[in-house]
Amino acid sequence: MSIREGVAVALAADAIRSRIVSGALGGGEPVRQEEMAGVLGLSRVPVREALRVLADQGLLDHRVHSGYFVRKRSVSELRQIYLMLEFLETKVMETIEPPSPEQLADLVALNREMADYVGSDEWSPMIDLNRRFHFEIFRLSPLKVVLGELERLWTIAAPYIAQKYTTRAQRAQTIAEHDALIASLSPFDRDRTLTLLATHRMQRGASG
């Protein structure tokens, strides 16, 4: 695959993933190559490859002779995913190093950018910003293999994590909880950070 083709696949995957995470494509809904290629202004080849990538990531199901469909998770599956997220996030947070002033500034900037969308009808950018915020903290840990698995699980859970942004009150609560997390990192208070993350995690729920 050429660099140009690889870029087109990445763009298609990002665009389709964004539609799934935001709820524009719901669980069980078909994702048709030709239709999506037209929407994205791309040929069918990168879209087909992007669908394969998203199936490998657990966001799509591929059914022989039927095509691709947005993966719909059962309540039991979600509870298991959240159980793994809780375990891995806790292990990562138990090993993080204190952030540098520059890293703290990055966290503050990300949360301020998220805050800009609290009162907006178009709040979907908060989804990616939230992921970036959390992984800025998680990457303070040396557990790189665990971080890779954590990223995979976050990708699977993303459409459900995004549900905590559906109301203005939920979005405002997220910003306040992020502010508290930042405050617990300077001066560094690991126990406080772990407690705050556990409270923050409760917003996700697992009701499906």
Side-chain angles (χ1 to χ4, degrees), residues 94-120:
E94 287 174 347
T95 63
I96 64 171
E97 298 292 335
S100 68
E102 292 77 17
Q103 289 167 325
L104 278 171
D106 288 342
L107 288 169
V108 170
L110 281 169
N111 205 37
R112 285 177 178 170
E113 191 172 351
M114 286 186 70
D116 290 340
Y117 295 98
V118 167
S120 174

PDB file of all heavy atoms in Angstrom, residues 94-120:
ATOM      1  N   GLU A  94      -1.623   3.583  39.065  1.00  0.00           N
ATOM      2  CA  GLU A  94      -0.775   3.255  40.213  1.00  0.00           C
ATOM      3  C   GLU A  94       0.705   3.406  39.890  1.00  0.00           C
ATOM      4  O   GLU A  94       1.536   3.420  40.807  1.00  0.00           O
ATOM      5  CB  GLU A  94      -1.055   1.822  40.677  1.00  0.00           C
ATOM      6  CG  GLU A  94      -2.394   1.663  41.388  1.00  0.00           C
ATOM      7  CD  GLU A  94      -2.720   0.222  41.724  1.00  0.00           C
ATOM      8  OE1 GLU A  94      -2.029  -0.686  41.191  1.00  0.00           O
ATOM      9  OE2 GLU A  94      -3.669  -0.006  42.494  1.00  0.00           O
ATOM     10  N   THR A  95       1.026   3.530  38.601  1.00  0.00           N
ATOM     11  CA  THR A  95       2.436   3.581  38.200  1.00  0.00           C
ATOM     12  C   THR A  95       2.827   4.882  37.500  1.00  0.00           C
ATOM     13  O   THR A  95       3.958   4.999  37.026  1.00  0.00           O
ATOM     14  CB  THR A  95       2.765   2.402  37.260  1.00  0.00           C
ATOM     15  OG1 THR A  95       1.991   2.517  36.057  1.00  0.00           O
ATOM     16  CG2 THR A  95       2.472   1.073  37.930  1.00  0.00           C
ATOM     17  N   ILE A  96       1.903   5.835  37.401  1.00  0.00           N
ATOM     18  CA  ILE A  96       2.254   7.073  36.684  1.00  0.00           C
ATOM     19  C   ILE A  96       3.296   7.871  37.468  1.00  0.00           C
ATOM     20  O   ILE A  96       3.351   7.841  38.690  1.00  0.00           O
ATOM     21  CB  ILE A  96       1.025   7.960  36.395  1.00  0.00           C
ATOM     22  CG1 ILE A  96       0.375   8.453  37.690  1.00  0.00           C
ATOM     23  CG2 ILE A  96       0.029   7.239  35.504  1.00  0.00           C
ATOM     24  CD1 ILE A  96      -0.707   9.493  37.468  1.00  0.00           C
ATOM     25  N   GLU A  97       4.111   8.609  36.705  1.00  0.00           N
ATOM     26  CA  GLU A  97       5.088   9.531  37.287  1.00  0.00           C
ATOM     27  C   GLU A  97       4.452  10.913  37.382  1.00  0.00           C
ATOM     28  O   GLU A  97       3.527  11.239  36.623  1.00  0.00           O
ATOM     29  CB  GLU A  97       6.334   9.592  36.405  1.00  0.00           C
ATOM     30  CG  GLU A  97       7.064   8.263  36.264  1.00  0.00           C
ATOM     31  CD  GLU A  97       7.698   7.811  37.562  1.00  0.00           C
ATOM     32  OE1 GLU A  97       7.996   8.686  38.418  1.00  0.00           O
ATOM     33  OE2 GLU A  97       7.893   6.588  37.731  1.00  0.00           O
ATOM     34  N   PRO A  98       4.913  11.745  38.298  1.00  0.00           N
ATOM     35  CA  PRO A  98       4.382  13.112  38.365  1.00  0.00           C
ATOM     36  C   PRO A  98       4.582  13.830  37.033  1.00  0.00           C
ATOM     37  O   PRO A  98       5.644  13.718  36.413  1.00  0.00           O
ATOM     38  CB  PRO A  98       5.217  13.758  39.477  1.00  0.00           C
ATOM     39  CG  PRO A  98       5.694  12.608  40.300  1.00  0.00           C
ATOM     40  CD  PRO A  98       5.909  11.472  39.339  1.00  0.00           C
ATOM     41  N   PRO A  99       3.585  14.554  36.556  1.00  0.00           N
ATOM     42  CA  PRO A  99       3.718  15.246  35.268  1.00  0.00           C
ATOM     43  C   PRO A  99       4.636  16.459  35.379  1.00  0.00           C
ATOM     44  O   PRO A  99       4.765  17.059  36.443  1.00  0.00           O
ATOM     45  CB  PRO A  99       2.282  15.675  34.950  1.00  0.00           C
ATOM     46  CG  PRO A  99       1.638  15.806  36.295  1.00  0.00           C
ATOM     47  CD  PRO A  99       2.254  14.738  37.154  1.00  0.00           C
ATOM     48  N   SER A 100       5.233  16.800  34.248  1.00  0.00           N
ATOM     49  CA  SER A 100       6.049  18.012  34.183  1.00  0.00           C
ATOM     50  C   SER A 100       5.137  19.228  34.083  1.00  0.00           C
ATOM     51  O   SER A 100       3.948  19.095  33.778  1.00  0.00           O
ATOM     52  CB  SER A 100       6.955  17.957  32.957  1.00  0.00           C
ATOM     53  OG  SER A 100       6.170  18.038  31.769  1.00  0.00           O
ATOM     54  N   PRO A 101       5.655  20.433  34.317  1.00  0.00           N
ATOM     55  CA  PRO A 101       4.834  21.637  34.133  1.00  0.00           C
ATOM     56  C   PRO A 101       4.246  21.724  32.728  1.00  0.00           C
ATOM     57  O   PRO A 101       3.100  22.164  32.553  1.00  0.00           O
ATOM     58  CB  PRO A 101       5.819  22.772  34.408  1.00  0.00           C
ATOM     59  CG  PRO A 101       6.822  22.175  35.343  1.00  0.00           C
ATOM     60  CD  PRO A 101       6.977  20.750  34.886  1.00  0.00           C
ATOM     61  N   GLU A 102       5.021  21.294  31.723  1.00  0.00           N
ATOM     62  CA  GLU A 102       4.534  21.334  30.342  1.00  0.00           C
ATOM     63  C   GLU A 102       3.373  20.357  30.143  1.00  0.00           C
ATOM     64  O   GLU A 102       2.389  20.671  29.448  1.00  0.00           O
ATOM     65  CB  GLU A 102       5.674  20.990  29.375  1.00  0.00           C
ATOM     66  CG  GLU A 102       6.788  22.014  29.291  1.00  0.00           C
ATOM     67  CD  GLU A 102       7.735  21.949  30.482  1.00  0.00           C
ATOM     68  OE1 GLU A 102       7.727  20.921  31.214  1.00  0.00           O
ATOM     69  OE2 GLU A 102       8.478  22.929  30.688  1.00  0.00           O
ATOM     70  N   GLN A 103       3.478  19.186  30.737  1.00  0.00           N
ATOM     71  CA  GLN A 103       2.399  18.194  30.626  1.00  0.00           C
ATOM     72  C   GLN A 103       1.137  18.670  31.340  1.00  0.00           C
ATOM     73  O   GLN A 103       0.025  18.469  30.847  1.00  0.00           O
ATOM     74  CB  GLN A 103       2.872  16.853  31.180  1.00  0.00           C
ATOM     75  CG  GLN A 103       3.907  16.173  30.296  1.00  0.00           C
ATOM     76  CD  GLN A 103       4.601  15.008  30.968  1.00  0.00           C
ATOM     77  OE1 GLN A 103       4.853  15.023  32.180  1.00  0.00           O
ATOM     78  NE2 GLN A 103       4.917  13.979  30.191  1.00  0.00           N
ATOM     79  N   LEU A 104       1.306  19.299  32.483  1.00  0.00           N
ATOM     80  CA  LEU A 104       0.148  19.863  33.181  1.00  0.00           C
ATOM     81  C   LEU A 104      -0.516  20.944  32.340  1.00  0.00           C
ATOM     82  O   LEU A 104      -1.741  21.024  32.265  1.00  0.00           O
ATOM     83  CB  LEU A 104       0.580  20.450  34.529  1.00  0.00           C
ATOM     84  CG  LEU A 104       0.719  19.472  35.693  1.00  0.00           C
ATOM     85  CD1 LEU A 104       1.361  20.176  36.884  1.00  0.00           C
ATOM     86  CD2 LEU A 104      -0.636  18.897  36.091  1.00  0.00           C
ATOM     87  N   ALA A 105       0.304  21.767  31.706  1.00  0.00           N
ATOM     88  CA  ALA A 105      -0.239  22.834  30.858  1.00  0.00           C
ATOM     89  C   ALA A 105      -1.029  22.251  29.692  1.00  0.00           C
ATOM     90  O   ALA A 105      -2.071  22.801  29.297  1.00  0.00           O
ATOM     91  CB  ALA A 105       0.898  23.719  30.342  1.00  0.00           C
ATOM     92  N   ASP A 106      -0.553  21.133  29.139  1.00  0.00           N
ATOM     93  CA  ASP A 106      -1.277  20.475  28.046  1.00  0.00           C
ATOM     94  C   ASP A 106      -2.646  19.979  28.524  1.00  0.00           C
ATOM     95  O   ASP A 106      -3.648  20.083  27.806  1.00  0.00           O
ATOM     96  CB  ASP A 106      -0.466  19.294  27.505  1.00  0.00           C
ATOM     97  CG  ASP A 106       0.745  19.730  26.698  1.00  0.00           C
ATOM     98  OD1 ASP A 106       0.776  20.905  26.273  1.00  0.00           O
ATOM     99  OD2 ASP A 106       1.654  18.908  26.508  1.00  0.00           O
ATOM    100  N   LEU A 107      -2.687  19.423  29.737  1.00  0.00           N
ATOM    101  CA  LEU A 107      -3.955  18.942  30.291  1.00  0.00           C
ATOM    102  C   LEU A 107      -4.931  20.088  30.512  1.00  0.00           C
ATOM    103  O   LEU A 107      -6.118  19.979  30.198  1.00  0.00           O
ATOM    104  CB  LEU A 107      -3.707  18.213  31.617  1.00  0.00           C
ATOM    105  CG  LEU A 107      -3.038  16.841  31.523  1.00  0.00           C
ATOM    106  CD1 LEU A 107      -2.608  16.361  32.906  1.00  0.00           C
ATOM    107  CD2 LEU A 107      -3.965  15.822  30.879  1.00  0.00           C
ATOM    108  N   VAL A 108      -4.422  21.188  31.039  1.00  0.00           N
ATOM    109  CA  VAL A 108      -5.268  22.369  31.254  1.00  0.00           C
ATOM    110  C   VAL A 108      -5.819  22.868  29.922  1.00  0.00           C
ATOM    111  O   VAL A 108      -7.018  23.186  29.800  1.00  0.00           O
ATOM    112  CB  VAL A 108      -4.475  23.479  31.968  1.00  0.00           C
ATOM    113  CG1 VAL A 108      -5.268  24.782  31.973  1.00  0.00           C
ATOM    114  CG2 VAL A 108      -4.136  23.064  33.398  1.00  0.00           C
ATOM    115  N   ALA A 109      -4.961  22.914  28.900  1.00  0.00           N
ATOM    116  CA  ALA A 109      -5.390  23.404  27.585  1.00  0.00           C
ATOM    117  C   ALA A 109      -6.453  22.491  26.976  1.00  0.00           C
ATOM    118  O   ALA A 109      -7.439  22.974  26.393  1.00  0.00           O
ATOM    119  CB  ALA A 109      -4.182  23.509  26.656  1.00  0.00           C
ATOM    120  N   LEU A 110      -6.271  21.171  27.099  1.00  0.00           N
ATOM    121  CA  LEU A 110      -7.255  20.233  26.562  1.00  0.00           C
ATOM    122  C   LEU A 110      -8.601  20.398  27.256  1.00  0.00           C
ATOM    123  O   LEU A 110      -9.654  20.395  26.603  1.00  0.00           O
ATOM    124  CB  LEU A 110      -6.752  18.794  26.739  1.00  0.00           C
ATOM    125  CG  LEU A 110      -5.716  18.305  25.728  1.00  0.00           C
ATOM    126  CD1 LEU A 110      -5.122  16.974  26.189  1.00  0.00           C
ATOM    127  CD2 LEU A 110      -6.337  18.155  24.346  1.00  0.00           C
ATOM    128  N   ASN A 111      -8.579  20.555  28.575  1.00  0.00           N
ATOM    129  CA  ASN A 111      -9.844  20.686  29.297  1.00  0.00           C
ATOM    130  C   ASN A 111     -10.531  22.010  28.987  1.00  0.00           C
ATOM    131  O   ASN A 111     -11.760  22.086  28.916  1.00  0.00           O
ATOM    132  CB  ASN A 111      -9.612  20.546  30.803  1.00  0.00           C
ATOM    133  CG  ASN A 111     -10.854  20.068  31.534  1.00  0.00           C
ATOM    134  OD1 ASN A 111     -11.598  19.238  31.009  1.00  0.00           O
ATOM    135  ND2 ASN A 111     -11.089  20.577  32.733  1.00  0.00           N
ATOM    136  N   ARG A 112      -9.752  23.063  28.782  1.00  0.00           N
ATOM    137  CA  ARG A 112     -10.342  24.350  28.389  1.00  0.00           C
ATOM    138  C   ARG A 112     -10.982  24.244  27.015  1.00  0.00           C
ATOM    139  O   ARG A 112     -12.048  24.833  26.764  1.00  0.00           O
ATOM    140  CB  ARG A 112      -9.267  25.435  28.402  1.00  0.00           C
ATOM    141  CG  ARG A 112      -8.870  25.894  29.799  1.00  0.00           C
ATOM    142  CD  ARG A 112      -7.761  26.920  29.748  1.00  0.00           C
ATOM    143  NE  ARG A 112      -7.407  27.395  31.091  1.00  0.00           N
ATOM    144  CZ  ARG A 112      -6.343  28.143  31.362  1.00  0.00           C
ATOM    145  NH1 ARG A 112      -5.519  28.510  30.383  1.00  0.00           N
ATOM    146  NH2 ARG A 112      -6.096  28.521  32.603  1.00  0.00           N
ATOM    147  N   GLU A 113     -10.330  23.510  26.119  1.00  0.00           N
ATOM    148  CA  GLU A 113     -10.899  23.328  24.782  1.00  0.00           C
ATOM    149  C   GLU A 113     -12.203  22.537  24.873  1.00  0.00           C
ATOM    150  O   GLU A 113     -13.181  22.843  24.178  1.00  0.00           O
ATOM    151  CB  GLU A 113      -9.893  22.609  23.880  1.00  0.00           C
ATOM    152  CG  GLU A 113     -10.290  22.603  22.419  1.00  0.00           C
ATOM    153  CD  GLU A 113      -9.212  22.054  21.508  1.00  0.00           C
ATOM    154  OE1 GLU A 113      -8.072  21.826  21.982  1.00  0.00           O
ATOM    155  OE2 GLU A 113      -9.513  21.836  20.314  1.00  0.00           O
ATOM    156  N   MET A 114     -12.225  21.521  25.738  1.00  0.00           N
ATOM    157  CA  MET A 114     -13.462  20.770  25.947  1.00  0.00           C
ATOM    158  C   MET A 114     -14.563  21.677  26.487  1.00  0.00           C
ATOM    159  O   MET A 114     -15.728  21.568  26.088  1.00  0.00           O
ATOM    160  CB  MET A 114     -13.218  19.621  26.925  1.00  0.00           C
ATOM    161  CG  MET A 114     -12.442  18.449  26.367  1.00  0.00           C
ATOM    162  SD  MET A 114     -12.349  17.057  27.549  1.00  0.00           S
ATOM    163  CE  MET A 114     -14.052  16.489  27.536  1.00  0.00           C
ATOM    164  N   ALA A 115     -14.195  22.560  27.401  1.00  0.00           N
ATOM    165  CA  ALA A 115     -15.184  23.445  28.035  1.00  0.00           C
ATOM    166  C   ALA A 115     -15.885  24.337  27.019  1.00  0.00           C
ATOM    167  O   ALA A 115     -17.031  24.750  27.237  1.00  0.00           O
ATOM    168  CB  ALA A 115     -14.506  24.296  29.107  1.00  0.00           C
ATOM    169  N   ASP A 116     -15.219  24.617  25.905  1.00  0.00           N
ATOM    170  CA  ASP A 116     -15.820  25.461  24.865  1.00  0.00           C
ATOM    171  C   ASP A 116     -17.078  24.822  24.266  1.00  0.00           C
ATOM    172  O   ASP A 116     -17.896  25.516  23.663  1.00  0.00           O
ATOM    173  CB  ASP A 116     -14.808  25.732  23.745  1.00  0.00           C
ATOM    174  CG  ASP A 116     -13.680  26.654  24.187  1.00  0.00           C
ATOM    175  OD1 ASP A 116     -13.855  27.380  25.181  1.00  0.00           O
ATOM    176  OD2 ASP A 116     -12.620  26.636  23.543  1.00  0.00           O
ATOM    177  N   TYR A 117     -17.211  23.501  24.412  1.00  0.00           N
ATOM    178  CA  TYR A 117     -18.336  22.787  23.794  1.00  0.00           C
ATOM    179  C   TYR A 117     -19.457  22.466  24.777  1.00  0.00           C
ATOM    180  O   TYR A 117     -20.456  21.862  24.380  1.00  0.00           O
ATOM    181  CB  TYR A 117     -17.830  21.482  23.153  1.00  0.00           C
ATOM    182  CG  TYR A 117     -16.880  21.708  22.010  1.00  0.00           C
ATOM    183  CD1 TYR A 117     -15.501  21.633  22.200  1.00  0.00           C
ATOM    184  CD2 TYR A 117     -17.349  22.002  20.735  1.00  0.00           C
ATOM    185  CE1 TYR A 117     -14.614  21.843  21.159  1.00  0.00           C
ATOM    186  CE2 TYR A 117     -16.476  22.221  19.682  1.00  0.00           C
ATOM    187  CZ  TYR A 117     -15.110  22.133  19.903  1.00  0.00           C
ATOM    188  OH  TYR A 117     -14.233  22.347  18.865  1.00  0.00           O
ATOM    189  N   VAL A 118     -19.300  22.843  26.023  1.00  0.00           N
ATOM    190  CA  VAL A 118     -20.292  22.489  27.035  1.00  0.00           C
ATOM    191  C   VAL A 118     -21.683  22.991  26.658  1.00  0.00           C
ATOM    192  O   VAL A 118     -22.683  22.278  26.772  1.00  0.00           O
ATOM    193  CB  VAL A 118     -19.888  23.022  28.424  1.00  0.00           C
ATOM    194  CG1 VAL A 118     -21.054  22.927  29.407  1.00  0.00           C
ATOM    195  CG2 VAL A 118     -18.694  22.232  28.964  1.00  0.00           C
ATOM    196  N   GLY A 119     -21.784  24.218  26.197  1.00  0.00           N
ATOM    197  CA  GLY A 119     -23.081  24.795  25.859  1.00  0.00           C
ATOM    198  C   GLY A 119     -23.453  24.692  24.399  1.00  0.00           C
ATOM    199  O   GLY A 119     -24.454  25.269  23.967  1.00  0.00           O
ATOM    200  N   SER A 120     -22.675  23.926  23.633  1.00  0.00           N
ATOM    201  CA  SER A 120     -22.894  23.851  22.190  1.00  0.00           C
ATOM    202  C   SER A 120     -23.764  22.659  21.813  1.00  0.00           C
ATOM    203  O   SER A 120     -23.728  21.606  22.459  1.00  0.00           O
ATOM    204  CB  SER A 120     -21.543  23.736  21.474  1.00  0.00           C
ATOM    205  OG  SER A 120     -21.719  23.518  20.086  1.00  0.00           O
TER     206      SER A 120
END
